[in-house]
Amino acid sequence: MKNKLALLGGLSVNEFLRDYWQKKPLLIRQAVPAFGGLLDPQQLIALACNEDVQARLVTQQRGKFALQQAPFEPEDFSRLGKSKWTVLVQGINHYLPEASALLKRFSFIPHARLDDLMVSYAPKGGGVGPHFDSYDVFLLQGSGHRRWQISAQTDRNLIAGAPLRILRDFRVEQEWVLEAGDMLYLPPHYAHNGIAEDDCMTYSIGFRTPAYQELAEQFLVYLQDRIEVDGMYADPNLKTQQHPSEISTAMLRQAEQAINKVRWDREDIANFLGCYLSEPKPHIFFEAPGQPLSLNKFGQSIRKHGLQLDLKSQMLCHAGWVFINGEAHRANEPDYPLLRTLADERTLPALEDGLSGSLELLYQWYLDGYISPI
Ligand code: SIN
Ligand code: CO
């Protein structure tokens, strides 16, 4: 982590984390030299028209923004003519191996923080307006040029009733025009506005910062399937009460004691977090192999050639547990380092030494479409 990286403008990862990450923006000229982009506007529009893909189309007319959500038809784009518009497509890493490879360059940030790669295309003048995100984001310029304006302002008031989150009073403090390979890092809540200077494609590598409210609510959902509280309400010594409609203190105390028996420990929280953070978004579906190999053939194949995660799979691990696509599995102890490498690298080379008991687990993941032999 001490090596100086072009990706971080000549900073080491440690320097970047210390001085910029979650603290202040960083403009990096030629972070990815010769970056020509991974797809062209037509390919991006074709993806936006795929019904499994999350995409948005933002149009501007006389300074007013309008928003349309996928699914789209190609005609939605051909009729836009000379107006100002932009299309934004989420989860490109789920569809393009090159996009997944691009994300690997950002592996100095833990996978648990990664959201996805979003790609936008806009003809001249297009953009989504001044706003802030609750994400850390690296905005990598593909083809064309984008003018980025940013502001450290703390006024986060939005235009009421607008279909998009647009800042009511955006005060530009710094601005630059980015060209292919340039990159801008922005911490969460940093106000920004990107305007296409010409035919422009921008790659947003986003890192999520879950809100505590959401974490706590989802933890309770997770817990509800796991809690065990014995016994039932009993009142053999019931006393008469003046108002039958009143919940008595005795009843309240009994309920309180029962609810206080709900317990959880750090392992529950780790398991919840692993499941929650690896849970695929609702529109993600995995495809089972058409003609699956037998368990034996699958074993032979991965021993000889290795295996890889499906592009849509999300895999995390913690202290002997592995989490894949919202599921928690206790790893067979000798196999944990290997499974962790799969989670780190998204691929495993030929498993010549075999596996100590995790073959069935991997086979199940293969049948579920989570992994495939190479
Ligand atoms: C874009 O690519 O146009 C928008 C990215 C962003 O501002 O978050
Ligand atoms: Co943004």
Side-chain angles (χ1 to χ4, degrees):
M1 298 285 163
K2 290 209 174 97
N3 293 347
K4 309 282 183 193
L5 298 184
L7 184 69
L8 296 174
L11 298 174
S12 69
V13 168
N14 289 341
E15 286 165 340
F16 171 74
L17 295 180
R18 185 191 63 204
D19 298 337
Y20 294 94
W21 178 250
Q22 295 244 301
K23 299 168 195 74
K24 56 183 180 189
L26 177 64
L27 172 72
I28 305 150
R29 294 287 183 193
Q30 291 309 291
V32 183
F35 182 64
L38 308 178
L39 69 180
D40 61 30
Q42 282 66 39
Q43 289 166 320
L44 189 71
I45 287 172
L47 264 179
C49 294
N50 174 332
E51 59 180 24
D52 293 339
V53 174
Q54 260 190 321
R56 287 169 292 159
L57 172 62
V58 175
T59 48
Q60 280 175 64
Q61 247 168 9
R62 285 183 287 278
K64 280 224 153 113
F65 287 87
L67 170 70
Q68 253 177 283
Q69 301 274 7
F72 292 111
E73 302 288 338
E75 299 73 57
D76 292 323
F77 299 95
S78 51
R79 63 168 156 253
L80 290 166
K82 290 222 173 308
S83 63
K84 291 182 184 171
W85 60 276
T86 180
V87 60
L88 307 109
V89 184
Q90 296 291 150
I92 295 291
N93 51 308
H94 298 153
Y95 300 94
L96 290 190
E98 301 79 11
S100 185
L102 176 66
L103 289 189
K104 265 199 176 173
R105 291 172 173 246
F106 295 84
S107 276
F108 54 86
I109 306 295
H111 295 343
R113 287 281 266 104
L114 180 65
D115 191 49
D116 69 353
L117 175 70
M118 179 184 85
V119 180
S120 70
Y121 163 72
K124 187 174 166 59
V128 297
H131 66 283
F132 63 89
D133 301 305
S134 46
Y135 279 48
D136 293 273
V137 67
F138 292 91
L139 298 154
L140 171 64
Q141 187 59 31
S143 54
H145 299 81
R146 184 178 289 275
R147 178 176 300 275
W148 280 109
Q149 306 176 315
I150 65 168
S151 169
Q153 67 190 67
T154 49
D155 172 1
R156 303 214 177 100
N157 287 311
L158 302 175
I159 296 179
L164 277 87
R165 294 156 38 84
I166 311 270
L167 283 166
R168 204 164 62 192
D169 182 19
F170 179 56
R171 277 157 279 127
V172 180
E173 288 174 354
Q174 281 179 289
E175 68 181 299
W176 309 273
V177 174
L178 272 65
E179 63 179 21
D182 292 347
M183 187 166 79
L184 176 62
Y185 162 73
L186 292 177
H189 300 132
Y190 215 94
H192 56 287
N193 185 27
I195 308 153
E197 294 268 299
D198 46 24
D199 262 10
C200 161
M201 297 193 76
T202 301
Y203 291 67
S204 300
I205 296 109
F207 292 89
R208 60 170 159 173
T209 51
Y212 289 153
Q213 177 69 23
E214 161 80 2
L215 270 189
E217 282 178 15
Q218 293 304 317
F219 179 60
L220 291 179
V221 172
Y222 170 91
L223 210 56
Q224 88 186 5
D225 296 332
R226 284 161 184 84
I227 54 172
E228 281 179 30
V229 183
D230 290 336
M232 59 196 291
Y233 186 77
D235 50 7
N237 302 319
L238 184 65
K239 300 280 180 296
T240 54
Q241 53 186 65
Q242 198 184 353
H243 299 289
S245 64
E246 205 160 53
I247 295 171
S248 69
T249 310
M251 185 179 213
L252 192 61
R253 271 204 203 108
Q254 220 186 109
E256 188 179 17
Q257 277 167 9
I259 291 169
N260 280 343
K261 286 186 191 151
V262 176
R263 287 272 169 273
W264 62 85
D265 57 19
R266 186 171 287 178
E267 195 171 52
D268 290 309
I269 294 180
N271 276 3
F272 153 70
L273 210 51
C275 293
Y276 172 74
L277 294 174
S278 67
E279 179 76 35
K281 293 193 178 145
H283 63 281
I284 299 276
F285 296 100
F286 291 91
E287 257 172 64
Q291 287 183 319
L293 301 171
S294 66
L295 175 62
N296 251 344
K297 283 261 159 59
F298 171 77
Q300 279 168 13
S301 171
I302 64 173
R303 262 181 215 108
K304 210 157 166 209
H305 305 292
L307 58 94
Q308 61 193 0
L309 287 183
D310 182 82
L311 288 175
K312 293 175 185 156
S313 279
Q314 306 199 52
M315 190 175 176
L316 300 169
C317 54
H318 176 78
W321 286 86
V322 291
F323 309 99
I324 186 163
N325 302 328
E327 297 171 11
H329 300 275
R330 179 106 193 125
N332 207 24
E333 210 171 296
D335 290 339
Y336 180 65
L338 208 65
L339 294 173
R340 188 176 48 198
T341 304
L342 174 62
D344 283 346
E345 305 294 335
R346 301 191 63 87
T347 174
L348 278 181
L351 299 173
E352 272 140 19
D353 295 340
L355 291 152
S356 318
S358 299
L359 181 61
E360 277 80 8
L361 182 62
L362 289 176
Y363 187 61
Q364 189 53 53
W365 293 353
Y366 159 67
L367 294 180
D368 290 337
Y370 296 174
I371 60 171
S372 57
I374 293 174

